[in-house]
Amino acid sequence: MKPKNSYKVYFIDLLTKIPWIISGAIMAAISLEVILIPNGLIDGGITGVSMMLSEILGYSLSVLLFILNIPFVLLGYIYLGKRFAFTTSLGITALTISTGVLEVFPPFLRGNSILLIFIGALLLGMGIGIVIRNGGALDGTDVLALLISDKTSYTVGESIFAINIFIFLFAFILFGWKGALVSIITYFIATIIVDVVRT
């Protein structure tokens, strides 16, 4: 049985990480709703799948994000523990709420300029990296990437990018070669930022 002081330290540490996880989720949501989606770009992972389904079916992105990530939260609970499942649930919930709020407002940043794409990638990578650094994840593929990174020599960023190659193939079909190519470049930059921020 753990002494009371160890539980106190555990919960204090967890409480200090919660604001960072929420902040990271908000940064990722701003990147998605303010920059990437209005300019016909997609994210990778479950978020990217949710964005494409939202485009095809007309469902709310925030609702799809929440539903499609549930199995991966359970996977994280099984292999990475209760705390990871909690922080990941918190991150995904914060991302869901943030995207839901931002969906209400009309897009105001349009134009596939290099600067705009870089800002979107930077915000997305920083958001994901901050959440992972504080023990959580924002996307189901982040969970898979963490598991792969633990078992192989690949970094989390490299694992995320490798997992998402097939998603960008679907993006090619849906958005055309230009949209898919720019999305890949944006996401590649974001995965580099993830590795920088989380270390």
Side-chain angles (χ1 to χ4, degrees):
M1 185 175 179
K2 291 183 179 179
K4 290 183 179 180
N5 283 343
S6 66
Y7 284 112
K8 184 178 179 180
V9 170
Y10 175 87
F11 284 112
I12 290 173
D13 179 63
L14 182 59
L15 287 173
T16 59
K17 293 182 184 303
I18 287 174
W20 287 104
I21 292 170
I22 293 172
S23 298
I26 292 171
M27 289 174 68
I30 292 171
S31 173
L32 293 172
E33 290 290 347
V34 177
I35 299 174
L36 300 185
I37 295 174
N39 289 288
L41 305 177
I42 69 160
D43 188 11
I46 301 304
T47 305
V49 172
S50 299
M51 290 167 75
M52 286 189 280
L53 287 176
S54 177
E55 180 74 19
I56 295 168
L57 303 176
Y59 295 146
S60 167
L61 173 62
S62 56
V63 172
L64 289 169
L65 277 173
F66 185 79
I67 293 172
L68 295 181
N69 274 302
I70 289 174
F72 295 95
V73 173
L74 296 175
L75 186 67
Y77 175 79
I78 294 168
Y79 290 101
L80 297 170
K82 294 179 182 178
R83 176 163 170 159
F84 179 82
F86 169 76
T87 51
T88 298
S89 298
L90 176 65
I92 290 171
T93 301
L95 180 66
T96 300
I97 293 171
S98 300
T99 53
V101 170
L102 290 169
E103 280 174 349
V104 176
F105 299 96
F108 58 88
L109 285 177
R110 288 188 181 274
N112 286 330
S113 70
I114 294 174
L115 179 61
L116 196 60
I117 291 167
F118 180 76
I119 292 171
L122 183 66
L123 277 174
L124 182 64
M126 286 181 67
I128 295 171
I130 287 169
V131 173
I132 291 176
R133 183 170 183 168
N134 286 278
L138 288 180
D139 189 280
T141 51
D142 297 347
V143 178
L144 293 178
L146 285 165
L147 291 171
I148 291 170
S149 180
D150 283 343
K151 303 294 183 182
T152 68
S153 61
Y154 292 104
T155 68
V156 173
E158 289 169 345
S159 301
I160 290 173
F161 191 74
I163 290 168
N164 286 294
I165 292 297
F166 78 95
I167 293 173
F168 290 114
L169 293 176
F170 284 108
F172 172 78
I173 297 170
L174 187 61
F175 297 108
W177 71 268
K178 186 177 180 181
L181 181 61
V182 176
S183 294
I184 290 170
I185 294 169
T186 304
Y187 199 65
F188 180 70
I189 296 169
T191 55
I192 293 172
I193 302 296
V194 168
D195 283 334
V196 171
V197 172
R198 71 176 292 269
T199 53

